Amino acid sequence: MSEQLKSLFLSSQDFFRANPGKATATFSVTSSGDGALHRQVKIREFILDIDEPQNLGGTNKGPNPVEMALASLATCQEISYHLHAAALGIPLKEVSVTLEGTLDLRGFFAVDDETRPGFTGIRGTVKFDSTASREELMALKESVDHSCPVMDLFRNRTPVEIAF
């Protein structure tokens, strides 16, 4: 599998270096619901249930949006680790990421205009099943943290326009 990932990664690098105009990809989702807080998100051919826990007014039919944001970061990191490890020739059998984020709910419930509604901090750990040296894993981590699209979303402002 790592040889396939390495080939995919390196051939993609070569292609996008030679064709920068073809490097843009657009992803889309559609969300709607059948109740106030329970939502269904269509992503390609997949339907995901998103909801709030009962103590926040939901029916607990799925993870909530901030849990999905953490899941997006964790899985994007894991996928990036596998791709970058293969490309760099770093042995990686498996990787797992555990994250937790803290919210001050006064921001979400508009209690205090000075309180951010988003995460005030995210903490986590990465566990590797690898025979690589600590130095190789540190180089891999730097490569992944620099290239992970969802990490970039958390670290940098992204222009957002939502019209009605």
Side-chain angles (χ1 to χ4, degrees):
M1 176 60 110
S2 69
E3 282 304 313
Q4 290 174 321
L5 291 178
K6 180 177 183 175
S7 177
L8 169 74
F9 191 91
L10 296 177
S11 64
S12 295
Q13 278 185 330
D14 290 343
F15 179 81
F16 293 130
R17 279 188 187 114
N19 302 281
K22 295 184 178 182
T24 302
T26 300
F27 298 88
S28 65
V29 303
T30 301
S31 180
S32 61
D34 58 3
L37 303 184
H38 176 229
R39 313 313 294 165
Q40 290 195 318
V41 180
K42 183 168 181 4
I43 305 170
R44 293 183 280 137
E45 66 271 18
F46 305 103
I47 303 290
L48 302 177
D49 283 296
I50 308 295
D51 200 356
E52 291 291 337
Q54 290 179 336
N55 66 335
L56 291 176
T59 56
N60 203 38
K61 292 182 180 175
N64 71 21
V66 294
E67 291 166 326
M68 292 301 296
L70 290 174
S72 293
L73 177 56
T75 56
C76 190
Q77 286 268 295
E78 292 168 352
I79 289 166
S80 297
Y81 273 113
H82 279 285
L83 284 166
H84 285 247
L88 297 169
I90 295 174
L92 181 62
K93 184 176 179 182
E94 190 51 79
V95 61
S96 65
V97 174
T98 301
L99 299 173
E100 66 179 19
T102 302
L103 289 178
D104 184 333
L105 294 175
R106 292 176 302 165
F108 178 66
F109 286 105
V111 172
D112 177 6
D113 289 340
E114 300 298 315
T115 302
R116 286 185 59 203
F119 287 117
T120 58
I122 297 173
R123 296 154 306 285
T125 57
V126 179
K127 293 185 181 176
F128 299 102
D129 184 353
S130 174
T131 58
S133 69
R134 179 162 178 76
E135 292 77 23
E136 289 174 308
L137 294 175
M138 288 301 296
L140 177 60
K141 184 179 183 319
E142 285 179 27
S143 179
V144 166
D145 285 349
H146 177 74
S147 301
C148 175
V150 179
M151 178 70 83
D152 180 76
L153 289 172
F154 277 97
R155 288 186 169 166
N156 299 293
R157 283 193 170 176
T158 301
V160 177
E161 292 180 33
I162 303 175
F164 71 98

